[in-house]
Amino acid sequence: GLGDVYKRQVEDGVDAVVVALKSRTIAPAEAVAQSLAACRFLRAGGATQIYFKVCSTFDSTPRGNIGPVLEALMDALDCRFTIATPAFPDNGRTVFKGHLFVGDVLLSESGMRNHPLTPMTDANLVRVLQAQLAKTPAEGAAARRVGLVDHRAVGASAAAIAERFAALESSGVSIAIADAVANDDLLRLGAAVKDLPLVCAGS
């Protein structure tokens, strides 16, 4: 079965296994189901961290699918805190003060504003992601809040980023958009998230 294939790959020294889904524009419930199936497969094979890869333009709709999938994965992994950043500086996708830029313009002023399936009219990713999260979570659970790890922490050190994570989580934030304007920012973020069970980011 697939689990045996995965285990053989891990035993052969494979560092990562990719499950490619075309879930960006399908119905949210279907995107969630496919993503949870992939998560179960990876966890059964021994994966220690799930990386939910999204497009560098974070394009989605007010219904999802980024928010619903991210929440479902957090529930499945009992993950209390994670980050999301689509930054890909080499391709001109940067996040500054929570706003996504395409080259030198805000996402909302780029061609993505007129995308036929996922028009992006707001560059503020904290606001975009918050709108996609469940307003009425499962009984006994609090609605998740989105916060920001801004450039000051990201530009300082992995330790400063981890401190910001802790401060956000203690204030009730469970998902943080992370600024990143250069590859060095992503390297510091990588060091800071190495022990998180779930990460949401671009490629």
Side-chain angles (χ1 to χ4, degrees):
L2 289 175
D4 292 332
V5 172
Y6 183 101
K7 287 174 184 173
R8 284 199 299 274
Q9 289 175 324
V10 172
E11 289 167 0
D12 289 342
V14 171
D15 294 317
V17 174
V18 176
V19 179
L21 302 176
K22 293 182 182 284
S23 59
R24 190 187 321 185
T25 56
I26 62 178
E30 188 177 351
V32 165
Q34 290 184 15
S35 300
L36 288 176
C39 181
R40 286 191 296 269
F41 160 67
L42 294 169
R43 295 285 286 176
T48 57
Q49 185 178 66
I50 301 298
Y51 188 109
F52 173 31
K53 187 266 181 194
V54 295
C55 184
S56 64
T57 51
F58 213 70
D59 55 301
S60 45
T61 72
R63 295 168 52 232
N65 288 339
I66 296 172
V69 168
L70 191 53
E71 288 202 282
L73 291 173
M74 291 181 77
D75 290 342
L77 298 167
D78 194 25
C79 176
R80 294 180 302 174
F81 180 86
T82 190
I83 70 158
T85 182
F88 191 166
D90 285 350
N91 276 9
R93 310 294 198 266
T94 55
V95 181
F96 182 69
K97 296 193 175 182
H99 290 71
L100 178 56
F101 286 80
V102 176
D104 293 328
V105 301
L106 287 165
L107 175 70
S108 53
E109 297 173 6
S110 73
M112 288 303 298
R113 179 179 183 84
N114 301 312
H115 193 285
L117 298 177
T118 52
M120 297 301 290
T121 59
D122 190 354
N124 184 322
L125 299 188
V126 174
R127 199 160 48 216
V128 167
L129 187 55
Q130 187 68 66
Q132 295 180 17
L133 301 185
K135 308 301 183 289
T136 53
E139 188 175 345
R144 289 186 173 97
R145 287 177 43 221
V146 181
L148 175 65
V149 180
D150 76 7
H151 63 99
R152 289 167 294 188
V154 173
S157 66
I161 296 168
E163 288 176 11
R164 180 64 178 155
F165 287 175
L168 286 168
E169 188 174 356
S170 68
S171 72
V173 168
S174 51
I175 306 170
I177 297 296
D179 279 355
V181 298
N183 287 334
D184 283 348
D185 293 331
L186 295 178
L187 291 173
R188 285 185 287 271
L189 280 166
V193 304
K194 65 183 176 62
D195 294 324
L196 294 182
L198 174 68
V199 176
C200 175
S203 56

